Short mmCIF file of all heavy atoms in Angstrom, two decimals:
data_model
loop_
_atom_site.label_atom_id
_atom_site.label_comp_id
_atom_site.label_asym_id
_atom_site.label_seq_id
_atom_site.Cartn_x
_atom_site.Cartn_y
_atom_site.Cartn_z
N GLY A 1269 24.00 5.25 -0.39
CA GLY A 1269 23.92 5.41 -1.72
C GLY A 1269 22.58 5.12 -2.42
O GLY A 1269 21.55 4.99 -1.60
N ALA A 1270 22.67 4.74 -3.69
CA ALA A 1270 21.32 4.56 -4.37
C ALA A 1270 20.55 3.40 -3.85
O ALA A 1270 19.26 3.51 -3.88
CB ALA A 1270 21.77 4.41 -5.80
N HIS A 1271 21.15 2.26 -3.53
CA HIS A 1271 20.44 1.18 -3.15
C HIS A 1271 19.58 1.44 -1.89
O HIS A 1271 18.39 1.00 -1.67
CB HIS A 1271 21.26 -0.05 -2.88
CG HIS A 1271 22.50 0.18 -2.09
ND1 HIS A 1271 23.07 1.35 -1.95
CD2 HIS A 1271 23.21 -0.61 -1.41
CE1 HIS A 1271 24.16 1.21 -1.18
NE2 HIS A 1271 24.29 -0.05 -0.75
N LEU A 1272 20.16 2.17 -0.92
CA LEU A 1272 19.42 2.61 0.34
C LEU A 1272 18.43 3.54 0.01
O LEU A 1272 17.30 3.48 0.57
CB LEU A 1272 20.55 3.14 1.34
CG LEU A 1272 21.47 2.33 1.95
CD1 LEU A 1272 21.97 2.86 3.22
CD2 LEU A 1272 20.98 0.86 2.21
N THR A 1273 18.61 4.42 -1.00
CA THR A 1273 17.53 5.40 -1.26
C THR A 1273 16.45 4.64 -1.88
O THR A 1273 15.26 4.96 -1.59
CB THR A 1273 18.16 6.41 -2.34
OG1 THR A 1273 19.18 7.22 -1.74
CG2 THR A 1273 17.08 7.46 -2.81
N GLY A 1274 16.59 3.67 -2.75
CA GLY A 1274 15.54 2.96 -3.37
C GLY A 1274 14.70 2.08 -2.27
O GLY A 1274 13.49 2.20 -2.42
N PHE A 1275 15.42 1.64 -1.40
CA PHE A 1275 14.71 0.71 -0.35
C PHE A 1275 13.90 1.78 0.51
O PHE A 1275 12.66 1.55 0.75
CB PHE A 1275 15.69 0.11 0.52
CG PHE A 1275 15.12 -0.53 1.83
CD1 PHE A 1275 14.28 -1.51 1.79
CD2 PHE A 1275 15.39 0.18 2.98
CE1 PHE A 1275 13.71 -2.15 3.04
CE2 PHE A 1275 14.75 -0.26 4.12
CZ PHE A 1275 13.92 -1.49 4.24
N LYS A 1276 14.49 2.80 0.96
CA LYS A 1276 13.80 3.77 1.98
C LYS A 1276 12.59 4.33 1.33
O LYS A 1276 11.49 4.47 1.95
CB LYS A 1276 14.77 4.85 2.49
CG LYS A 1276 15.96 4.31 3.28
CD LYS A 1276 16.94 5.41 3.74
CE LYS A 1276 17.98 4.95 4.69
NZ LYS A 1276 18.88 6.02 5.11
N THR A 1277 12.81 4.87 0.14
CA THR A 1277 11.66 5.62 -0.54
C THR A 1277 10.40 4.69 -0.84
O THR A 1277 9.38 5.09 -0.46
CB THR A 1277 12.10 6.16 -1.89
OG1 THR A 1277 13.13 6.99 -1.83
CG2 THR A 1277 11.01 7.03 -2.64
N THR A 1278 10.78 3.51 -1.32
CA THR A 1278 9.57 2.59 -1.58
C THR A 1278 8.97 2.08 -0.37
O THR A 1278 7.79 1.94 -0.17
CB THR A 1278 10.11 1.41 -2.43
OG1 THR A 1278 10.79 1.89 -3.66
CG2 THR A 1278 9.08 0.27 -2.76
N PHE A 1279 9.87 1.78 0.63
CA PHE A 1279 9.26 1.19 1.91
C PHE A 1279 8.32 2.15 2.69
O PHE A 1279 7.26 1.89 3.26
CB PHE A 1279 10.43 0.83 2.89
CG PHE A 1279 9.94 0.05 4.11
CD1 PHE A 1279 9.86 -1.34 4.01
CD2 PHE A 1279 9.66 0.67 5.30
CE1 PHE A 1279 9.35 -2.01 5.09
CE2 PHE A 1279 9.31 -0.06 6.40
CZ PHE A 1279 9.13 -1.42 6.31
N THR A 1280 8.89 3.48 2.61
CA THR A 1280 8.07 4.62 3.30
C THR A 1280 6.65 4.77 2.47
O THR A 1280 5.58 4.81 3.07
CB THR A 1280 8.77 5.88 3.11
OG1 THR A 1280 9.98 5.81 3.94
CG2 THR A 1280 7.91 7.05 3.82
N SER A 1281 6.68 4.65 1.15
CA SER A 1281 5.44 4.78 0.41
C SER A 1281 4.50 3.53 0.61
O SER A 1281 3.30 3.82 0.74
CB SER A 1281 5.88 4.71 -1.19
OG SER A 1281 4.76 4.76 -1.92
N VAL A 1282 5.06 2.41 0.69
CA VAL A 1282 4.23 1.15 0.99
C VAL A 1282 3.59 1.42 2.40
O VAL A 1282 2.21 1.07 2.47
CB VAL A 1282 5.10 -0.03 0.85
CG1 VAL A 1282 4.24 -1.21 1.42
CG2 VAL A 1282 5.55 -0.38 -0.57
N ILE A 1283 4.29 1.70 3.39
CA ILE A 1283 3.76 1.82 4.67
C ILE A 1283 2.71 2.92 4.82
O ILE A 1283 1.61 2.74 5.34
CB ILE A 1283 4.83 2.05 5.77
CG1 ILE A 1283 5.86 0.92 5.85
CG2 ILE A 1283 4.27 2.35 7.13
CD1 ILE A 1283 5.12 -0.45 6.19
N ASN A 1284 2.87 4.03 4.15
CA ASN A 1284 1.87 5.04 4.15
C ASN A 1284 0.56 4.56 3.39
O ASN A 1284 -0.57 4.84 3.89
CB ASN A 1284 2.47 6.32 3.44
CG ASN A 1284 3.18 7.22 4.41
OD1 ASN A 1284 2.68 7.56 5.47
ND2 ASN A 1284 4.40 7.53 4.08
N ALA A 1285 0.73 3.83 2.29
CA ALA A 1285 -0.38 3.30 1.59
C ALA A 1285 -1.12 2.36 2.56
O ALA A 1285 -2.49 2.41 2.63
CB ALA A 1285 0.05 2.67 0.34
N TYR A 1286 -0.40 1.45 3.27
CA TYR A 1286 -1.27 0.49 4.15
C TYR A 1286 -1.88 1.35 5.24
O TYR A 1286 -3.02 1.09 5.67
CB TYR A 1286 -0.18 -0.44 4.72
CG TYR A 1286 0.00 -1.65 3.87
CD1 TYR A 1286 1.27 -2.02 3.28
CD2 TYR A 1286 -0.96 -2.61 3.64
CE1 TYR A 1286 1.54 -3.05 2.54
CE2 TYR A 1286 -0.78 -3.73 2.90
CZ TYR A 1286 0.48 -3.95 2.34
OH TYR A 1286 0.67 -5.14 1.73
N ALA A 1287 -1.22 2.37 5.83
CA ALA A 1287 -1.73 3.00 6.90
C ALA A 1287 -3.02 3.76 6.54
O ALA A 1287 -3.99 3.83 7.24
CB ALA A 1287 -0.86 4.05 7.48
N ARG A 1288 -3.14 4.23 5.32
CA ARG A 1288 -4.44 4.85 4.74
C ARG A 1288 -5.47 3.83 4.43
O ARG A 1288 -6.60 3.91 4.83
CB ARG A 1288 -4.10 5.76 3.55
CG ARG A 1288 -3.22 6.87 3.92
CD ARG A 1288 -3.26 8.13 2.88
NE ARG A 1288 -2.37 9.14 3.19
CZ ARG A 1288 -2.73 10.07 4.05
NH1 ARG A 1288 -3.89 10.05 4.63
NH2 ARG A 1288 -1.87 11.06 4.32
N GLU A 1289 -4.96 2.71 3.88
CA GLU A 1289 -5.92 1.51 3.62
C GLU A 1289 -6.51 1.08 4.89
O GLU A 1289 -7.74 0.80 4.97
CB GLU A 1289 -5.20 0.49 2.91
CG GLU A 1289 -6.03 -0.69 2.37
CD GLU A 1289 -5.31 -1.73 1.63
OE1 GLU A 1289 -4.30 -1.22 0.96
OE2 GLU A 1289 -5.58 -2.82 1.84
N LEU A 1290 -5.80 0.96 5.95
CA LEU A 1290 -6.36 0.46 7.27
C LEU A 1290 -7.05 1.59 8.12
O LEU A 1290 -7.44 1.26 9.19
CB LEU A 1290 -5.12 -0.02 8.08
CG LEU A 1290 -4.57 -1.31 7.48
CD1 LEU A 1290 -3.20 -1.65 8.38
CD2 LEU A 1290 -5.53 -2.49 7.43
N GLY A 1291 -7.05 2.80 7.65
CA GLY A 1291 -7.67 3.85 8.37
C GLY A 1291 -6.96 4.50 9.52
O GLY A 1291 -7.49 5.18 10.32
N ILE A 1292 -5.62 4.19 9.61
CA ILE A 1292 -4.81 4.63 10.66
C ILE A 1292 -4.43 6.07 10.35
O ILE A 1292 -4.34 7.02 11.21
CB ILE A 1292 -3.53 3.81 10.82
CG1 ILE A 1292 -3.97 2.36 11.37
CG2 ILE A 1292 -2.50 4.43 11.85
CD1 ILE A 1292 -2.86 1.39 11.28
N LEU A 1293 -4.16 6.30 9.00
CA LEU A 1293 -3.88 7.84 8.68
C LEU A 1293 -5.33 8.19 7.88
O LEU A 1293 -5.70 7.66 6.90
CB LEU A 1293 -2.81 7.95 7.64
CG LEU A 1293 -1.38 7.83 8.19
CD1 LEU A 1293 -0.44 7.79 7.09
CD2 LEU A 1293 -1.20 8.94 9.14
N LYS A 1294 -5.82 9.36 8.49
CA LYS A 1294 -7.05 9.91 7.84
C LYS A 1294 -6.65 10.81 6.67
O LYS A 1294 -5.62 11.08 6.40
CB LYS A 1294 -7.87 10.64 8.95
CG LYS A 1294 -8.16 9.81 10.04
CD LYS A 1294 -9.14 8.68 9.82
CE LYS A 1294 -9.63 7.96 11.11
NZ LYS A 1294 -8.71 6.91 11.74
N GLU A 1295 -7.71 11.18 5.97
CA GLU A 1295 -7.59 11.98 4.72
C GLU A 1295 -6.79 13.35 4.98
O GLU A 1295 -6.00 13.83 4.26
CB GLU A 1295 -8.84 12.27 4.10
CG GLU A 1295 -8.80 12.94 2.74
CD GLU A 1295 -10.15 13.23 1.99
OE1 GLU A 1295 -11.04 12.48 2.40
OE2 GLU A 1295 -10.21 14.08 1.19
N LYS A 1296 -7.10 13.77 6.20
CA LYS A 1296 -6.54 15.15 6.61
C LYS A 1296 -5.13 14.95 7.23
O LYS A 1296 -4.41 15.92 7.26
CB LYS A 1296 -7.33 15.81 7.59
CG LYS A 1296 -7.52 15.02 8.93
CD LYS A 1296 -8.24 15.77 10.02
CE LYS A 1296 -8.40 14.91 11.20
NZ LYS A 1296 -8.63 15.52 12.44
N ASP A 1297 -4.69 13.83 7.50
CA ASP A 1297 -3.42 13.59 8.07
C ASP A 1297 -2.24 13.62 7.10
O ASP A 1297 -2.44 13.19 6.01
CB ASP A 1297 -3.38 12.19 8.90
CG ASP A 1297 -4.34 12.07 9.92
OD1 ASP A 1297 -4.64 13.22 10.59
OD2 ASP A 1297 -4.79 11.01 10.34
N ALA A 1298 -1.06 14.12 7.60
CA ALA A 1298 -0.01 14.17 6.60
C ALA A 1298 0.65 12.70 6.67
O ALA A 1298 0.49 11.99 7.59
CB ALA A 1298 1.02 15.03 7.17
N ASN A 1299 1.36 12.40 5.62
CA ASN A 1299 2.02 11.17 5.53
C ASN A 1299 3.03 10.96 6.64
O ASN A 1299 3.66 11.95 7.13
CB ASN A 1299 2.61 10.82 4.20
CG ASN A 1299 1.70 10.30 3.18
OD1 ASN A 1299 0.60 9.79 3.45
ND2 ASN A 1299 2.09 10.37 2.06
N PHE A 1300 3.34 9.80 7.00
CA PHE A 1300 4.59 9.52 7.85
C PHE A 1300 5.93 9.86 7.12
O PHE A 1300 5.85 9.60 5.94
CB PHE A 1300 4.71 7.99 8.25
CG PHE A 1300 3.54 7.48 9.17
CD1 PHE A 1300 2.94 6.30 8.81
CD2 PHE A 1300 3.20 8.17 10.27
CE1 PHE A 1300 1.84 5.97 9.67
CE2 PHE A 1300 2.04 7.83 11.00
CZ PHE A 1300 1.48 6.55 10.70
N THR A 1301 6.78 10.49 7.68
CA THR A 1301 7.96 10.73 7.00
C THR A 1301 8.89 9.39 7.02
O THR A 1301 8.52 8.41 7.65
CB THR A 1301 8.96 11.80 7.81
OG1 THR A 1301 9.34 11.26 9.06
CG2 THR A 1301 8.09 13.06 8.12
N GLY A 1302 9.95 9.56 6.19
CA GLY A 1302 10.78 8.23 6.19
C GLY A 1302 11.36 7.91 7.50
O GLY A 1302 11.49 6.82 7.90
N ALA A 1303 11.81 9.01 8.29
CA ALA A 1303 12.37 8.84 9.58
C ALA A 1303 11.23 8.20 10.62
O ALA A 1303 11.67 7.27 11.31
CB ALA A 1303 12.90 10.12 10.25
N ASP A 1304 10.00 8.55 10.46
CA ASP A 1304 8.94 7.99 11.20
C ASP A 1304 8.85 6.55 10.96
O ASP A 1304 8.89 5.71 11.89
CB ASP A 1304 7.65 8.56 10.86
CG ASP A 1304 7.48 10.10 11.25
OD1 ASP A 1304 8.28 10.51 12.17
OD2 ASP A 1304 6.63 10.79 10.68
N VAL A 1305 8.87 6.12 9.72
CA VAL A 1305 8.75 4.69 9.28
C VAL A 1305 9.89 3.87 9.69
O VAL A 1305 9.65 2.73 10.07
CB VAL A 1305 8.46 4.79 7.76
CG1 VAL A 1305 8.47 3.20 7.23
CG2 VAL A 1305 7.06 5.28 7.37
N ARG A 1306 11.07 4.39 9.65
CA ARG A 1306 12.25 3.62 9.99
C ARG A 1306 12.56 3.63 11.54
O ARG A 1306 13.71 3.24 12.00
CB ARG A 1306 13.45 4.04 9.15
CG ARG A 1306 13.28 3.78 7.62
CD ARG A 1306 14.54 4.08 6.95
NE ARG A 1306 14.95 5.41 7.12
CZ ARG A 1306 14.60 6.46 6.33
NH1 ARG A 1306 13.71 6.26 5.43
NH2 ARG A 1306 15.10 7.63 6.57
N ASN A 1307 11.80 4.33 12.30
CA ASN A 1307 12.00 4.45 13.73
C ASN A 1307 12.07 3.10 14.32
O ASN A 1307 11.15 2.34 14.21
CB ASN A 1307 11.02 5.26 14.35
CG ASN A 1307 10.97 5.24 15.89
OD1 ASN A 1307 12.10 5.38 16.42
ND2 ASN A 1307 9.94 5.01 16.64
N GLY A 1308 13.23 2.84 14.88
CA GLY A 1308 13.35 1.53 15.58
C GLY A 1308 13.84 0.23 14.65
O GLY A 1308 14.04 -0.84 15.00
N MET A 1309 14.02 0.55 13.28
CA MET A 1309 14.39 -0.41 12.30
C MET A 1309 15.81 -0.80 12.33
O MET A 1309 16.72 0.20 12.35
CB MET A 1309 14.03 0.17 10.86
CG MET A 1309 14.51 -0.86 9.82
SD MET A 1309 14.23 -0.13 8.18
CE MET A 1309 12.53 -0.66 7.82
N THR A 1310 16.22 -1.96 12.29
CA THR A 1310 17.50 -2.47 11.91
C THR A 1310 17.45 -3.20 10.63
O THR A 1310 16.56 -4.11 10.53
CB THR A 1310 18.08 -3.31 12.96
OG1 THR A 1310 18.30 -2.63 14.21
CG2 THR A 1310 19.39 -3.95 12.55
N ALA A 1311 18.22 -2.73 9.63
CA ALA A 1311 18.04 -3.38 8.30
C ALA A 1311 19.44 -3.60 7.69
O ALA A 1311 20.36 -2.85 7.83
CB ALA A 1311 17.13 -2.53 7.46
N VAL A 1312 19.53 -4.66 6.91
CA VAL A 1312 20.69 -4.87 5.94
C VAL A 1312 20.11 -5.01 4.54
O VAL A 1312 19.39 -5.83 4.26
CB VAL A 1312 21.40 -6.13 6.38
CG1 VAL A 1312 22.60 -6.47 5.49
CG2 VAL A 1312 21.97 -6.04 7.87
N ILE A 1313 20.68 -4.14 3.70
CA ILE A 1313 20.27 -4.14 2.33
C ILE A 1313 21.67 -4.55 1.65
O ILE A 1313 22.64 -3.81 1.59
CB ILE A 1313 19.72 -2.83 1.71
CG1 ILE A 1313 18.41 -2.52 2.46
CG2 ILE A 1313 19.67 -2.87 0.30
CD1 ILE A 1313 18.51 -1.80 3.72
N SER A 1314 21.65 -5.69 0.88
CA SER A 1314 22.81 -6.17 0.15
C SER A 1314 22.49 -6.34 -1.26
O SER A 1314 21.45 -7.00 -1.73
CB SER A 1314 23.29 -7.48 0.57
OG SER A 1314 24.38 -8.04 -0.04
#
């Protein structure tokens, strides 16, 4: 539902911003998808 959507969308955006800031994602590279960012994640959102 909405709470998971809010968490996933923002978390993906933050990780992509950090990846570009650290030079891991170059200008020509596409952003990581949400599934990429959550690969291996176990999370509880309450």
Side-chain angles (χ1 to χ4, degrees):
H1271 50 336
L1272 295 196
T1273 300
F1275 168 75
K1276 291 178 179 180
T1277 302
T1278 302
F1279 192 83
T1280 301
S1281 176
V1282 169
I1283 295 302
N1284 275 307
Y1286 272 117
R1288 294 199 179 278
E1289 185 179 324
L1290 296 172
I1292 296 170
L1293 283 178
K1294 303 296 189 283
E1295 187 176 340
K1296 60 176 179 154
D1297 296 332
N1299 277 343
F1300 296 130
T1301 67
D1304 294 339
V1305 170
R1306 296 188 302 275
N1307 172 48
M1309 172 190 277
T1310 296
V1312 173
I1313 292 91
S1314 175

